[in-house]
Amino acid sequence: MNNQTKNPLLAFGTPAKVVINGTQATHPQLIEAYTKVIAERPEYIRAIAFSVIDGIVKIYIKTTEAADNV
């Protein structure tokens, strides 16, 4: 099965970096965990931005304050 159908955050490819509320993750296992959790709980996303430059995908996410209390 194609990853893009399982996780919409992977629509542009597997990210090289995920930044959540200013905290950067570049380790592949951590990126996989973050994208899985965020995709399962989209109600906690306040803002999201994707950057694809020279084929390198980066995702920037700002969560709601309720996400900090989970």
Side-chain angles (χ1 to χ4, degrees):
M1 185 185 289
N2 190 342
N3 275 344
Q4 283 85 6
T5 58
K6 287 195 258 180
N7 188 336
L9 294 176
L10 303 177
F12 297 108
T14 303
K17 181 188 335 183
V18 174
V19 180
I20 299 178
N21 296 331
T23 302
Q24 298 184 27
T26 56
H27 191 278
Q29 290 176 328
L30 192 54
I31 288 172
E32 182 180 348
Y34 277 167
T35 56
K36 182 179 177 185
V37 168
I38 293 294
E40 290 174 356
R41 303 300 297 240
E43 63 270 19
Y44 292 125
I45 297 174
R46 176 178 290 168
I48 188 167
F50 293 86
S51 168
V52 183
I53 300 173
D54 291 332
I56 299 172
V57 179
K58 298 176 185 171
I59 302 175
Y60 301 87
I61 299 169
K62 173 69 176 158
T63 60
T64 64
E65 281 122 30
D68 295 335
N69 299 324
V70 173

